[in-house]
Amino acid sequence: MPKIHQLSPTLSNQISAGEVIERPASVVKELVENSIDAGATQVDINLLDAGVTMIQVIDNGAGIEAEDVPTAFLPHATSKILTVKDLFNVHSLGFRGEALASIAAVADVTLETATQSGLGTIAHIVGGDMQTIDKAGSRKGTQITVRDLFFNTPARLKYVKSQATELGKIVDIVNRLALAHPEIAFSLRHQHKMVLKTAGHGDLQQTLAGIYGVTTAKGMLSFAGEDDDFKISGYFSLPDTTRASRNYLSLMINGRYIKNYQLTKAIIAGYGSKLMVGRYPIAVVNIEMAPLLVDVNVHPTKQEVRLSKESQLADLLTQTIKTRLSSENLIPEALHNLRQRPAVDLDQLTQTLNEVQRQFQPQAPTAAAKTPTPMPSVDANAAPTAEFGKSMQDLDGTPIFKDPARLSQWDAKYAQPAQPVAAPVADRPKPAKRFPDLRYLAQVHGTYLLAEDPDGLYLLDQHAAQERVNYEYYRQQIGVVATDLQRLLVPLVLDYPASDAIAIKAARPTLESLGLYLEDFGQNTFIVRQHPTWFKAGQEEDTIREMVDWVLKDGHLTVAAFREKTAIMMSCKRAIKANHHLDTQQAQALLVKLAQCENPFNCPHGRPVLVHFSNTDLEKMFKRIQDSHTTEDY
């Protein structure tokens, strides 16, 4: 066995860097968090080649004292903690003192800093070795430039992905930091082109507008809740604005972006059955809690934390979101996208299209080739089309058009009334009633119902409507009908593998809570002699197997969750299907029952039950409302 020896500082720093600095986004995260801890109100990030060639972070924070600069690049050098007790009372984003040392170990780093305008310090570190350190004139704050990332660790450089992938990771990190700190103005440039910019006015909804767009931000609901240990606030989207991944759920604890599966599940649980399967909302949740209740020192990147009273916090999240949604009218507008189409910046549109024209203009023709016909130039005064969605307002609400004459001309013909992005929820107009008083008109193709009220026309999915009615009935009744059982003339015999049989035996109490009794009939075989009466005739075996599969899929399924899933299954199996014609009495009865539901807007799987065509929508569709036409004399 080789002799045991101590690693050199350079090698140990490179190993430590592998834990903290995984990719260019890790460098951006660590440097920006240092800027936030320094009290910066503006942070500018400049990138070349997605950060591999250069990452530059400039802030207007407190800066670093000249005598502390050499120490700042030593391993585990920090100003955030002094004793062991400080580890359990961390208020800053960084505290381990490993970020600068880890970055400097695998890159060429230049630091310029000053605690006040005037005399500052400039230091140059390459591969962890201090090259130079001098005095220099500088403004207050810190500027760190990281070049040639991983130049001395080619094995790690080999695993850096494409520029698009790495830039996407960086943008995601900056987005989260901007959402956690709306009071800070962030800007991100790549190849000298602006990628992201936030105003830094302390308005979270305005920051959401800068990241996700004005239309999305306007449609999000604010919420707040608290108990003895936690205080939560933020914004979340309505059920009709969803995404295909959980990546749009942002959790912040004391200003730190974290990843926590249980809290993410709690947010989704707050929507209940209002979300479609496989769809996730957009949400930003700020959680304030005593630092003693969270341990941030469990992972090098500090994104995974350990929470005390996690289940209590999850319950608070779920109940707050559920309560907030209960007061909203969730009927989607059929022509929502058409009516809320944002205005277009014609100057930017002209510049963009002409640039695209130049990029795709054919090259000079060869002798044998014909001269192509040039593309026509773009008319800046042409009416905008539906494909372009650039807003005519900047983040702070100021118009982008500079010419007052053009602006007034635009407002007169196309622009919509301006609305503040961050309008408080209390100021938003509330609907007079959550669900309209519908009058049945007709059925379409045996699948959809037409109804009306004074506000317009409604189109209902009859299957989804009856699913909702059935679901709320079974959800209430399923817990009290377990003693009402139907004996089978011929018992069902179910065979399972040994591993599944063990799990089924452990989950018997859950199954029996719904009246499903599986008796042993051999080592890995069960026999069912009776079942609850609410099982649909002819589907007894399929229903039982589906219920057992749920238990096998999630061994920690609670009785309440199990009953919820069973209610959803039964409501779907007993609902009328498409191409099933209803008479007038049946259709009217369905509308009456739907209006009595706690949530008449979605089926248990999250699909919308009905959509609304307002009177204005109908008038637009039939050209009763048109743009004013101006005539010109020739």
Side-chain angles (χ1 to χ4, degrees):
M1 178 178 178
K3 281 186 69 65
I4 297 174
H5 63 281
Q6 188 175 11
L7 292 175
S8 67
T10 301
L11 185 56
S12 61
N13 283 345
Q14 290 180 357
I15 294 173
S16 298
E19 298 177 354
V20 181
I21 309 303
E22 301 173 344
R23 60 197 326 155
S26 305
V27 177
V28 174
K29 174 181 179 295
E30 297 293 341
L31 295 182
V32 174
E33 286 182 348
N34 282 346
S35 297
I36 295 171
D37 287 340
T41 59
Q42 182 172 346
V43 180
D44 300 321
I45 306 150
N46 301 312
L47 307 173
L48 292 178
D49 300 327
V52 176
T53 299
M54 188 199 75
I55 299 171
Q56 186 179 69
V57 177
I58 307 170
D59 68 58
N60 62 349
I64 304 174
E65 296 287 351
E67 59 269 21
D68 291 337
V69 170
T71 310
F73 289 91
L74 297 178
H76 307 296
T78 181
S79 62
K80 315 293 174 58
I81 61 173
L82 295 174
T83 65
V84 174
K85 292 182 180 179
D86 293 336
L87 277 177
F88 303 100
N89 193 29
V90 175
H91 292 272
S92 56
L93 298 180
F95 56 90
R96 293 177 171 181
E98 56 191 357
L100 290 180
S102 298
I103 295 169
V106 292
D108 182 328
V109 178
T110 302
L111 168 71
E112 298 180 42
T113 184
T115 55
Q116 57 185 356
S117 297
L119 191 61
T121 306
I122 181 169
H124 184 206
I125 304 96
V126 180
D129 296 328
M130 183 71 70
Q131 302 294 314
T132 60
I133 180 168
D134 296 303
K135 295 180 179 179
S138 180
R139 62 173 182 79
K140 182 183 177 182
T142 302
Q143 173 179 309
I144 296 184
T145 306
V146 179
R147 293 185 175 88
D148 300 329
L149 187 63
F150 302 137
F151 78 96
N152 56 353
T153 52
R156 195 168 303 145
L157 183 62
K158 181 175 62 176
Y159 291 101
V160 173
K161 306 298 182 184
S162 67
Q163 280 197 26
T165 300
E166 298 299 338
L167 181 60
K169 296 290 184 182
I170 293 173
V171 172
D172 184 63
I173 287 291
V174 178
N175 282 347
R176 312 287 186 178
L177 292 169
L179 292 172
H181 298 276
E183 74 282 0
I184 299 176
F186 290 90
S187 71
L188 173 63
R189 290 179 173 85
H190 182 243
Q191 312 294 75
H192 309 292
K193 294 182 179 179
M194 186 67 72
V195 177
L196 172 70
K197 185 177 179 63
T198 65
H201 294 162
D203 190 326
L204 178 57
Q205 196 172 27
Q206 192 174 43
T207 304
L208 283 166
I211 294 173
Y212 297 126
V214 176
T215 302
T216 299
K218 281 184 177 180
M220 297 181 74
L221 301 178
S222 67
F223 70 95
E226 60 181 304
D227 60 14
D228 293 339
D229 297 302
F230 306 101
K231 184 177 180 180
I232 61 174
S233 62
Y235 285 85
F236 63 86
S237 63
L238 290 170
D240 60 347
T241 303
T242 58
R243 299 293 184 266
S245 74
R246 294 183 175 90
N247 197 46
Y248 292 82
L249 299 174
S250 299
L251 291 167
M252 322 295 180
I253 291 185
N254 296 339
R256 181 192 304 277
Y257 166 64
I258 66 157
K259 296 178 180 179
N260 187 289
Y261 181 67
Q262 293 303 321
L263 297 185
T264 299
K265 282 180 60 178
I267 295 172
I268 297 170
Y271 284 79
S273 59
K274 297 178 177 68
L275 288 176
M276 289 186 63
V277 176
R279 304 295 296 182
Y280 303 94
I282 302 171
V284 179
V285 180
N286 291 311
I287 304 168
E288 298 178 28
M289 57 193 296
L292 290 173
L293 295 178
V294 54
D295 184 3
V296 296
N297 191 32
V298 296
H299 193 273
T301 64
K302 301 182 286 292
Q303 287 190 358
E304 297 178 14
V305 300
R306 185 178 293 116
L307 295 174
S308 180
K309 302 183 179 180
E310 185 177 64
S311 59
Q312 176 186 330
L313 175 57
D315 290 341
L316 176 63
L317 267 174
T318 299
Q319 292 304 318
T320 302
I321 293 175
K322 183 181 295 185
T323 302
R324 183 68 182 86
L325 276 173
S326 65
S327 62
E328 290 295 317
N329 184 336
L330 303 180
I331 302 176
E333 299 290 345
L335 303 182
H336 174 81
N337 293 331
L338 176 62
R339 188 168 59 255
Q340 295 195 11
R341 183 189 306 137
V344 180
D345 177 0
L346 292 183
D347 289 333
Q348 181 64 36
L349 175 60
T350 302
Q351 180 181 353
T352 301
L353 290 184
N354 285 333
E355 182 178 349
V356 171
Q357 174 186 333
R358 287 192 298 270
Q359 290 178 357
F360 288 92
Q361 189 75 22
Q363 300 297 323
T366 60
K370 295 182 179 180
T371 304
T373 303
M375 294 176 61
S377 60
V378 179
D379 182 6
N381 295 317
T385 59
E387 286 77 18
F388 304 103
K390 288 283 186 182
S391 174
M392 206 184 75
Q393 292 184 346
D394 206 341
L395 290 174
D396 58 0
T398 58
I400 294 176
F401 282 158
K402 306 301 182 185
D403 184 0
R406 283 193 67 193
L407 179 59
S408 60
Q409 181 184 4
W410 174 274
D411 285 338
K413 191 169 185 179
Y414 296 109
Q416 299 175 357
Q419 296 179 358
V421 173
V425 175
D427 296 341
R428 295 177 184 171
K430 292 290 183 181
K433 51 185 179 297
R434 289 190 71 227
F435 197 76
D437 298 324
L438 298 179
R439 186 175 73 87
Y440 173 69
L441 298 176
Q443 188 181 33
V444 181
H445 298 311
T447 303
Y448 303 102
L449 305 181
L450 284 175
E452 68 172 358
D453 81 340
D455 294 331
L457 179 70
Y458 293 82
L459 188 63
L460 295 88
D461 184 330
Q462 66 186 28
H463 175 73
Q466 192 168 62
E467 264 193 311
R468 168 53 59 178
V469 172
N470 290 349
Y471 165 72
E472 297 204 1
Y473 169 78
Y474 285 120
R475 188 182 60 182
Q476 294 177 358
Q477 299 297 323
I478 205 167
V480 296
V481 299
T483 56
D484 188 6
L485 302 176
Q486 171 71 47
R487 291 192 66 85
L488 290 165
L489 293 177
V490 179
L492 297 174
V493 179
L494 309 176
D495 295 313
Y496 288 94
S499 57
D500 289 348
I502 295 172
I504 292 171
K505 291 176 182 178
R508 271 178 175 160
T510 303
L511 294 167
E512 291 173 0
S513 70
L514 265 66
L516 188 58
Y517 297 90
L518 274 65
E519 303 176 15
D520 290 335
F521 196 66
Q523 187 172 359
N524 302 321
T525 306
F526 302 91
I527 188 171
V528 180
R529 303 182 187 276
Q530 55 191 0
H531 63 79
T533 54
W534 42 263
F535 279 20
K536 190 171 183 179
Q539 297 181 352
E540 296 89 347
E541 183 173 354
D542 291 341
T543 304
I544 291 171
R545 287 190 178 277
E546 193 166 350
M547 293 168 67
V548 172
D549 287 343
W550 286 337
V551 173
L552 294 175
K553 183 178 180 180
D554 189 349
H556 303 287
L557 198 65
T558 63
V559 173
F562 186 59
R563 288 177 175 172
E564 174 89 0
K565 289 180 177 291
T566 304
I568 291 174
M569 178 189 67
M570 294 306 301
S571 66
C572 183
K573 289 182 179 294
R574 292 200 169 187
I576 52 178
K577 303 298 188 287
N579 299 316
H580 181 93
H581 292 273
L582 303 178
D583 59 34
T584 301
Q585 274 190 322
Q586 291 173 323
Q588 290 174 341
L590 179 58
L591 294 182
V592 170
K593 292 179 180 178
L594 180 64
Q596 296 170 351
C597 289
E598 178 185 346
N599 170 28
F601 309 111
N602 308 90
C603 80
H605 306 96
R607 292 192 300 110
V609 170
L610 72 169
V611 294
H612 177 216
F613 294 85
S614 69
N615 291 327
T616 303
D617 293 334
L618 297 175
E619 290 170 343
K620 285 183 178 180
M621 290 165 62
F622 288 98
K623 304 301 182 184
R624 288 178 175 269
I625 296 180
Q626 302 182 50
D627 292 335
S628 59
H629 296 281
T630 58
T631 59
E632 298 182 2
D633 295 327
Y634 294 94

